[in-house]
Amino acid sequence: MEVVKNKQVVLKWFVVGAPTEKDMEVREGTAQLKAPEGSGGLVVKNLYLSCDPYMRGRMREDYSSYIPPFQPGNAIEGFGVAKVLDSDNPNFSVGDYVAGFTGWEEYTLITRTESLRKVKKNDIPLSFHVGLLGMPGFTAYAGFYEVCAPKKGDAVFVSAASGAVGQLVGQLAKLHGCYVVGSAGSKQKVQLLKDKLGFDEAFNYKEETDLTTTLQRYFPDGIDIYFDNVGGAMLDAALLNMKVHGRVAVCGMVSQHSYTDSEGIHNTFALVRKRIRMEGFLQSDYLHLFPKFVETVSNHYREGKIIYLEDIAEGLENAPSAFVGLFSGKNVGKQVVCVSKE
Amino acid sequence: MEVVKNKQVVLKWFVVGAPTEKDMEVREGTAQLKAPEGSGGLVVKNLYLSCDPYMRGRMREDYSSYIPPFQPGNAIEGFGVAKVLDSDNPNFSVGDYVAGFTGWEEYTLITRTESLRKVKKNDIPLSFHVGLLGMPGFTAYAGFYEVCAPKKGDAVFVSAASGAVGQLVGQLAKLHGCYVVGSAGSKQKVQLLKDKLGFDEAFNYKEETDLTTTLQRYFPDGIDIYFDNVGGAMLDAALLNMKVHGRVAVCGMVSQHSYTDSEGIHNTFALVRKRIRMEGFLQSDYLHLFPKFVETVSNHYREGKIIYLEDIAEGLENAPSAFVGLFSGKNVGKQVVCVSKE
């Protein structure tokens, strides 16, 4: 049985507060390249790994979440794109490319194969299967169409708009005939939103002193839809700027990083005055729409109607800093780690 | 033209903070008992006036609300039940009883008659037309059936549960086959909830030290529906106790009393985790359902399936203290002012 070296990114302990690189360790382990008989599993070579904000939630010791915590000492688990090296499962063959839950390491034995779907190596970059065509893209799709109830001409605001989810929300909204404004945290991102991603307007929230008046400026008649990726002060400002019967889709990964939002939301009275519907959602509740999503978004991409910005860190050893960077907005576009191109 | 003395309750100035009796004045004015020809108006004798928390919102100088502010120096406007003394309007005759917007005074010339509906003096107390069969009752009805999406067996929590709205929400929920728990602010109210209003459980929130664990105790499997009449710390505690796909109907009059909730809501992350829908509403968006509401709730009342608790202050001179008492929970049941029985 062939045993090889296997570089791994391991969570060292449960994390309190903002995650740092010190909470993770890159270590040299070993891997067997054969799937045990009867296991129904696969041995895969990991190609692309996804850095997602929700993973912060799995770094705390809390069994009440919708997904169990990571186990300190083990390789971190996350979405990835991988190539099958050995298979004990009739649904997968050697040489298949798969996307789904895998480990932050070079080689992974995947025994829980339910999350895996086969993907093709074609004109769509493989890495897109953890971004545009993966969980973040599907979050944008399900959130926008199923939660926001969009209508042509609606005024749409997207926060963290150049991120993995936000950039697709904005582009889908434009294709739907909406007026779309995005917020981001740097001049460069604002330029990308306007020049590359087709947003009608964009602003750098770090340069604004009063978010309520900022939003008034971009939405003099109010906001129909706020796709909330950040919570906190931006959500509070948006509530004051919603139109009557406005909708707020709370994707709000950032709000999940700590247990309580110490700043708090203070404008909930606007919910009544303006009859606002504010709804939290998870893409996993809409998986029946996944095939339609892949088809629709792939077609848009092939027709040049949407683009997708990625920020690719090269090599597993850079995975901890890439992940930590999410929380200070270091990434420009979807943060991916390339473990190996093939 | 007959001119009579007309006792009036006048707002003295725009109010900052919690309203006090000093913000209002009871004065002796005059009234003409004839509706001017061509005015299309009515002169009414006011019988019952409604004290409602939303009126606090009209005591501030703010034109952005869904309803314009009161005019200092004029009689306060509010829902009432009145008898027509003179009519220049073909739709109303002398001797008719009407419910709708009128003045806090003995006699009112009503020229904007759109809000008025004729009511009958029968086995249902006249005062119920500003309570059980008026705006508060309809708020309960529209909020429960249209916003909460109730199902048989749902676990329902109602705050301010013995109040004008809450007491009907709880009873409708029981009739719908739900498990219903209410919170209130005194031992007496808690007893009424359990003994008279048929709630499964009730608690005095003032006796609880940690609302989150209190709600855990009453809802070990979580809350399907929270009908929120108070906002603030109770809403925060409820968010932590909602079930997946729970619904929060924000009626939240109390949240409207000041512009910003200084305490804030800190558990919005639960919206995502539990995919909670939180929706503000106003009964005025559902007026097409009003006839069905009156029929349904009148029938329930006549069949003895629901009751309605009123707290009636006698005389206009007691209206200011009755209104102010709403905000400290002095009232037990729907607060009404009886100006005259006939």
Side-chain angles (χ1 to χ4, degrees):
Chain A
M1 190 139 45
E2 193 184 356
V3 174
V4 296
K5 286 188 185 169
N6 187 22
K7 203 182 287 177
Q8 302 182 301
V9 181
V10 165
L11 183 70
K12 280 154 80 177
W13 42 62
F14 288 118
V15 175
V16 179
T20 67
E21 291 183 48
K22 286 186 180 153
D23 297 322
M24 289 164 272
E25 181 184 24
V26 182
R27 74 173 181 203
E28 199 79 33
T30 58
Q32 296 184 350
L33 295 189
K34 186 131 189 62
E37 254 179 67
S39 69
L42 313 174
V43 172
V44 301
K45 182 180 185 196
N46 294 306
L47 306 179
Y48 295 96
L49 298 174
S50 181
C51 296
D52 296 298
Y54 84 89
M55 297 167 76
R56 167 67 187 89
R58 301 190 69 182
M59 293 185 171
R60 72 167 80 84
E61 191 170 13
D62 169 24
Y63 292 82
S64 73
S65 187
Y66 58 91
I67 188 165
F70 292 138
Q71 293 307 309
N74 288 359
I76 285 171
E77 188 187 45
F79 287 109
V81 180
K83 189 174 180 177
V84 177
L85 298 185
D86 190 47
S87 173
D88 185 56
N89 186 312
N91 298 321
F92 299 93
S93 308
V94 173
D96 280 350
Y97 292 93
V98 294
F101 276 118
T102 185
W104 278 29
E105 55 195 345
E106 291 176 282
Y107 304 98
T108 302
L109 168 65
I110 304 177
T111 50
R112 291 183 303 131
T113 56
E114 315 85 64
S115 83
L116 297 183
R117 59 184 193 283
K118 281 195 248 191
V119 298
K120 290 208 179 71
K121 194 169 184 180
N122 54 24
D123 56 322
I124 292 182
L126 271 179
S127 58
F128 276 20
H129 294 288
V130 294
L132 181 65
L133 298 178
M135 184 276 285
F138 188 52
T139 298
Y141 180 91
F144 182 65
Y145 291 117
E146 301 300 308
V147 181
C148 293
K151 293 186 304 294
K152 194 180 164 178
D154 274 353
V156 176
F157 174 51
V158 187
S159 54
S162 68
V165 176
Q167 58 175 310
L168 184 56
V169 172
Q171 293 181 90
L172 292 176
K174 282 305 299 174
L175 288 172
H176 205 75
C178 300
Y179 167 78
V180 185
V181 179
S183 66
S186 76
K187 204 170 172 171
Q188 179 199 10
K189 290 177 185 179
V190 168
Q191 281 307 316
L192 285 169
L193 288 170
K194 293 202 278 193
D195 299 345
K196 299 273 183 200
L197 294 164
F199 281 59
D200 293 294
E201 295 286 351
F203 64 89
N204 179 353
Y205 72 91
K206 290 179 180 167
E207 286 177 355
E208 302 294 326
T209 49
D210 179 348
L211 294 171
T212 302
T213 56
T214 302
L215 289 175
Q216 257 161 15
R217 202 163 69 231
Y218 288 105
F219 297 96
D221 300 323
I223 300 168
D224 291 292
I225 291 171
Y226 172 38
F227 196 103
D228 177 23
N229 288 308
V230 300
M234 191 68 93
L235 174 55
D236 238 354
L239 285 175
L240 291 184
N241 281 284
M242 297 304 290
K243 279 191 201 169
V244 165
H245 292 130
R247 287 84 70 198
V248 178
V250 188
C251 187
M253 302 309 185
V254 169
S255 308
Q256 293 187 293
H257 303 153
S258 54
Y259 261 138
T260 56
D261 169 10
S262 55
E263 206 180 339
I265 302 299
H266 300 270
N267 297 330
T268 45
F269 69 91
L271 292 173
V272 181
R273 277 198 175 191
K274 297 175 174 175
R275 296 85 108 187
I276 297 166
R277 174 165 59 81
M278 184 163 149
E279 190 163 349
F281 73 99
L282 292 175
Q283 49 84 31
S284 48
D285 286 335
Y286 300 91
L287 290 178
H288 57 289
L289 300 175
F290 198 86
K292 195 184 162 201
F293 149 73
V294 170
E295 190 193 336
T296 305
V297 173
S298 298
N299 288 343
H300 284 332
Y301 177 74
R302 289 196 169 103
E303 292 165 12
K305 289 182 182 167
I306 55 175
I307 63 167
Y308 198 66
L309 304 176
E310 293 182 312
D311 194 333
I312 299 191
E314 296 292 338
L316 258 183
E317 56 281 6
N318 290 313
S321 69
F323 177 73
V324 168
L326 287 178
F327 301 93
S328 56
K330 223 182 71 185
N331 56 308
V332 178
K334 165 66 191 168
Q335 182 69 58
V336 178
V337 175
C338 176
V339 185
S340 171
K341 286 205 168 57
E342 178 59 50
Chain B
M1 192 140 45
E2 194 184 355
V3 174
V4 296
K5 284 188 185 170
N6 187 23
K7 203 182 287 177
Q8 303 181 299
V9 182
V10 165
L11 184 70
K12 281 155 79 179
W13 42 62
F14 289 118
V15 176
V16 178
T20 67
E21 292 183 49
K22 286 185 181 155
D23 297 321
M24 288 163 273
E25 181 184 23
V26 181
R27 75 175 179 200
E28 198 78 32
T30 59
Q32 295 183 349
L33 295 190
K34 185 129 188 65
E37 254 179 66
S39 69
L42 312 175
V43 173
V44 301
K45 182 182 185 193
N46 294 307
L47 305 179
Y48 295 97
L49 298 174
S50 181
C51 296
D52 296 299
Y54 83 89
M55 297 167 77
R56 168 67 187 91
R58 301 191 68 184
M59 293 185 172
R60 72 167 78 86
E61 192 171 11
D62 168 26
Y63 293 82
S64 73
S65 186
Y66 57 91
I67 189 164
F70 292 138
Q71 293 306 310
N74 288 359
I76 285 170
E77 190 187 45
F79 288 110
V81 180
K83 189 174 179 177
V84 177
L85 298 186
D86 190 46
S87 172
D88 185 56
N89 186 312
N91 297 321
F92 299 94
S93 309
V94 173
D96 279 352
Y97 292 93
V98 294
F101 276 118
T102 186
W104 277 30
E105 55 195 345
E106 289 175 283
Y107 305 97
T108 303
L109 169 63
I110 304 177
T111 52
R112 292 183 302 129
T113 55
E114 313 86 66
S115 83
L116 297 183
R117 59 183 194 283
K118 282 195 248 191
V119 299
K120 290 207 179 73
K121 193 167 186 181
N122 54 22
D123 55 321
I124 292 183
L126 271 179
S127 58
F128 276 20
H129 294 288
V130 294
L132 180 65
L133 298 177
M135 183 275 286
F138 187 52
T139 298
Y141 180 91
F144 182 65
Y145 291 116
E146 301 299 310
V147 181
C148 295
K151 293 186 303 295
K152 194 181 165 178
D154 274 354
V156 175
F157 174 51
V158 187
S159 54
S162 68
V165 176
Q167 59 175 309
L168 184 56
V169 172
Q171 293 180 91
L172 292 176
K174 281 306 298 174
L175 288 172
H176 205 76
C178 300
Y179 167 77
V180 184
V181 179
S183 66
S186 77
K187 203 170 173 173
Q188 179 199 10
K189 292 177 185 179
V190 167
Q191 281 307 318
L192 285 169
L193 287 170
K194 293 201 277 193
D195 299 345
K196 299 273 184 198
L197 294 163
F199 282 59
D200 293 293
E201 294 286 351
F203 65 89
N204 179 354
Y205 72 89
K206 291 178 180 167
E207 285 177 357
E208 301 294 327
T209 50
D210 178 348
L211 293 171
T212 302
T213 54
T214 302
L215 289 175
Q216 257 162 14
R217 202 164 68 232
Y218 288 105
F219 297 96
D221 300 322
I223 299 169
D224 291 291
I225 291 172
Y226 172 38
F227 196 104
D228 176 23
N229 289 308
V230 301
M234 191 69 93
L235 174 55
D236 238 355
L239 285 175
L240 292 183
N241 281 284
M242 297 304 291
K243 280 190 201 169
V244 165
H245 292 130
R247 287 84 69 199
V248 179
V250 186
C251 187
M253 301 309 181
V254 170
S255 308
Q256 294 188 293
H257 301 153
S258 54
Y259 261 138
T260 55
D261 169 9
S262 55
E263 205 179 338
I265 302 299
H266 301 270
N267 298 329
T268 46
F269 70 91
L271 291 173
V272 181
R273 277 198 175 189
K274 296 174 174 175
R275 296 86 108 187
I276 296 166
R277 173 165 60 81
M278 184 162 148
E279 189 162 349
F281 74 99
L282 292 174
Q283 49 84 30
S284 48
D285 287 335
Y286 301 91
L287 290 177
H288 57 288
L289 301 175
F290 197 86
K292 195 183 162 202
F293 150 71
V294 170
E295 191 193 335
T296 305
V297 173
S298 298
N299 287 344
H300 284 333
Y301 177 73
R302 289 197 169 102
E303 291 165 13
K305 289 182 181 165
I306 55 175
I307 64 167
Y308 198 66
L309 305 177
E310 293 183 311
D311 194 332
I312 300 191
E314 296 291 340
L316 259 182
E317 57 281 5
N318 290 314
S321 69
F323 176 73
V324 169
L326 287 178
F327 301 93
S328 56
K330 223 182 70 185
N331 56 307
V332 178
K334 164 67 191 167
Q335 182 67 60
V336 178
V337 176
C338 177
V339 185
S340 172
K341 286 205 167 60
E342 179 58 51

